[in-house]
Amino acid sequence: MNNQSILTKKELLKTWALNYSSETAYNYERLQALGQTNAMVPIIRKLYPNDKTKQCEELKKYLTFFNTEPSFCGLGITGITVAMEEARAKDGDVSPESIASIRSGLMGPVAGIGDTFQAIVYSILAAVACNLAVEGNILGPILFEVFYKTIMIVISLNMFFIGYKKGKSFILDILKKGMMDKLTDMFGLIGLMVVGGMAASRVAVYTPLKFQVGNIVITFQDILNTLIPCLIPLLITLGVLYMVNKKIKPNTMILVIFIVGIVGSYTSILNVIK
C-alpha cells in the first residue's frame, strides 16, 4: 500500500473552509448535498488531475442526501471522507459504496453530538453577551461573534484533521467510550449555571409588600432574601418553563405574563427593580 500523501495542506484547508457552504445550498430533497459536493471539489481535482470525466464521476456520489451538524463536529466526517478518497485514488481499495455508507452511518450520531455542543456554546456566550448588551456595553455582540467564531474554527479544524489522520475509528471510539456524553453533560451544567444566573439578575421583579408588628415594619422581600434569594425571579422563570413544556402558544404565554404583571403591580404585590 502506498503511504505517501497526495494531498497537501492547501487542498485540505480549502475543503475545510468550503464545508461551510453546506448551509448555503440547502434544498429540501438532499439538504446539504450540493454544499458537500462543492467542498470536495479541491480534493477530487488534486486526486484526478487533467481528467474532467473522472472528476465528475467521483463528485456525483456526493449529490445524494446528506445532513449533519456542519459547523463543529460534522467536519470530522469530511476529514474521514477525504482520507478515504485519497486511499481510493492511490490503491483503489475503497469503493464508492463504502464512502457513502460511512457518511450516511455517521451523519446521524455526529449531528446529535454537534447540535448539542453548538447549542451549549451558543447559550453560554449569548447569556454573557446579552448581560453586557443590556448594560449598554457595545462589546456584548462583538465579543459574542469573536468568541463563537473562534471556538467554532478551533473545534472544526481539529475535528477535520483528526478525522483525516485517524479515520473513522476515531469517531467510533469516541461514541463507544461515551466521551462525548461526559463532555456534553459537563458543558450542559455550565450552561445551566450561566442561564440560571442570568434569570436571577435579569428577571428584576420583587414584592414591595410590608406589614407592621407593633412599631416594627417588616418588609416581606427581606424575609424572602433571607430564606431564598431571588425566589420570585426563580418562580417566574419556572412558570414560563412550565408553559413551554405544556406547549402553550407563545402569544398566550406573553398574555399570561402581561396579566400577572399588571395585576401584581396594580395590587402592589409585585414591582420591578429600577
Side-chain angles (χ1 to χ4, degrees), residues 184-252:
T184 300
D185 290 342
M186 181 183 72
F187 282 104
L189 287 172
I190 296 172
L192 288 173
M193 290 169 61
V194 172
V195 173
M198 186 178 178
S201 61
R202 291 303 166 197
V203 183
V205 178
Y206 74 103
T207 177
L209 285 176
K210 298 178 182 179
F211 56 93
Q212 189 167 349
V213 179
N215 295 325
I216 301 174
V217 177
I218 299 175
T219 304
F220 192 62
Q221 184 63 51
D222 291 339
I223 298 174
L224 292 180
N225 290 341
T226 303
L227 297 173
I228 306 176
C230 301
L231 177 60
I232 293 176
L234 174 62
L235 292 176
I236 292 172
T237 304
L238 291 176
V240 173
L241 178 62
Y242 175 80
M243 290 190 286
V244 170
N245 290 335
K246 288 294 183 180
K247 303 189 184 303
I248 295 173
K249 294 179 180 179
N251 288 339
T252 305

Side-chain angles (χ1 to χ4, degrees), residues 93-104:
D93 293 337
V94 180
S95 67
E97 291 76 18
S98 62
I99 295 175
S101 64
I102 287 295
R103 293 176 76 241
S104 61

Side-chain angles (χ1 to χ4, degrees), residues 128-265:
V128 175
C130 285
N131 273 323
L132 291 173
V134 167
E135 293 171 0
N137 193 333
I138 195 173
L139 287 176
I142 295 172
L143 290 176
F144 172 80
E145 282 298 321
V146 170
F147 280 103
Y148 184 76
K149 292 298 188 293
T150 300
I151 293 170
M152 182 178 73
I153 289 170
V154 170
I155 291 175
S156 64
L157 263 176
N158 278 281
M159 289 298 295
F160 177 79
F161 280 103
I162 289 172
Y164 172 67
K165 292 173 183 176
K166 296 194 175 182
K168 62 184 179 181
S169 61
F170 168 69
I171 291 181
L172 292 175
D173 284 345
I174 286 180
L175 292 172
K176 286 178 182 177
K177 293 176 182 178
M179 291 171 59
M180 289 310 300
D181 289 337
K182 294 177 183 177
L183 286 173
T184 300
D185 290 342
M186 181 183 72
F187 282 104
L189 287 172
I190 296 172
L192 288 173
M193 290 169 61
V194 172
V195 173
M198 186 178 178
S201 61
R202 291 303 166 197
V203 183
V205 178
Y206 74 103
T207 177
L209 285 176
K210 298 178 182 179
F211 56 93
Q212 189 167 349
V213 179
N215 295 325
I216 301 174
V217 177
I218 299 175
T219 304
F220 192 62
Q221 184 63 51
D222 291 339
I223 298 174
L224 292 180
N225 290 341
T226 303
L227 297 173
I228 306 176
C230 301
L231 177 60
I232 293 176
L234 174 62
L235 292 176
I236 292 172
T237 304
L238 291 176
V240 173
L241 178 62
Y242 175 80
M243 290 190 286
V244 170
N245 290 335
K246 288 294 183 180
K247 303 189 184 303
I248 295 173
K249 294 179 180 179
N251 288 339
T252 305
M253 287 192 287
I254 293 170
L255 181 61
V256 170
I257 293 170
F258 266 110
I259 292 172
V260 171
I262 292 170
V263 172
S265 178

Side-chain angles (χ1 to χ4, degrees), residues 42-80:
I43 301 299
I44 298 301
R45 281 179 176 170
K46 180 70 175 181
L47 295 176
Y48 306 100
N50 305 318
D51 191 344
K52 296 291 184 182
T53 303
K54 183 64 174 175
Q55 290 174 12
C56 291
E57 180 185 335
E58 294 297 327
L59 285 171
K60 281 181 181 178
K61 62 177 171 285
Y62 294 100
L63 290 172
T64 56
F65 176 87
F66 187 81
N67 187 40
T68 193
E69 185 282 310
S71 303
F72 287 83
C73 301
L75 274 295
I77 299 177
T78 307
I80 293 169

